Amino acid sequence: MTNTLFSFGHGYSAQALSRRLTPEGWRVVGTTRDAEGTDAIRASGAEPLIWPGQVPNLDGVSHLLISTAPKEDGDPVLAALGAEIAARAEQFKWVGYLSTTAIYGDHQGNWVDETTPPAPTAKRGRWRLLAEEQWSAIPKLPIHIFRLAGIYGPGRGPFSKLKGGGTRRIIKPGQVFSRIHVEDIAQVLAASMAAPNPGAVYNVCDDEPVPPQDVIGYAAELQGLPLPPAVPFEEAEMTPMARSFYSENKRVRNNRIKDELGVKLLYPNYRVGLEALMKVTEQP
């Protein structure tokens, strides 16, 4: 019997997962908000569905993945299809919700893990936490929560920023961020799908939280570019969204994905990840 994954919001991370699953015989259906996203979904091996618009058919679906952005009142998938998903709860072998480590809020650089009580301060964290709670409240639904750190990978990361010019190293003493390569997200999700544990929460990040200026500096070094200028955080011109990221400072533990899922990260730190990306960018 063919496993079928229905993926709501089949973007960057979900496409990495479908590239892993479809060679193994999975059927993957992924939604996009408009026709412009259909080519990328097909390229990942999945079948595109424009939603909202076309009606999702959940018949025969064994696995669900949700990575749609929440709104102030919670998750848009549940707003539209909550009653149907609840009625089908026992149909699914596994349901995954892609959340964010922003739900932990600010811990002044200290470590957090999955047992740390959520205390989001930024809007994006509060909305994600509400969506987590909504999905977790559905009886008998085999929900798994994945709290993702900052995502990078091919086409998304510091190299593209450096090529665009005007990149700065914003310096805020003591500030660190966690990050995760998109291929490691895919392998964590695949490992969870192979060993479901309904109700589980997993932090998905690499082993080494570091100051953001270290990542930019190493990317410049790899490309043989001058070190971008350092700008104090207080003097930096930033969008409100970008500034909000600096309002929260924490180190995120990832022991659970290793201990429970047996994951060995492909890119355990930013240096290994950037070196691999550099090889991809150098290909003709």
Side-chain angles (χ1 to χ4, degrees), residues 28-46:
V28 180
V29 180
T31 73
T32 178
R33 295 185 64 86
D34 52 57
E36 293 181 1
T38 58
D39 287 346
I41 290 176
R42 288 193 184 93
S44 75

Side-chain angles (χ1 to χ4, degrees), residues 85-110:
I85 289 171
R88 293 178 180 264
E90 294 183 89
Q91 168 186 320
F92 307 117
K93 299 177 182 177
W94 178 95
V95 179
Y97 181 75
L98 301 190
S99 185
T100 171
T101 56
I103 67 100
Y104 294 114
D106 179 38
H107 287 264
Q108 300 179 337
N110 292 313

Side-chain angles (χ1 to χ4, degrees), residues 10 32 64 97 108 132 155 167 173 176 182 197 200 204 227 269 279:
H10 199 71
T32 178
L64 279 182
Y97 181 75
Q108 300 179 337
E132 282 188 19
T167 302
V176 295
V182 68
N197 180 17
V204 186
L227 192 64
N269 59 59
K279 294 177 183 177

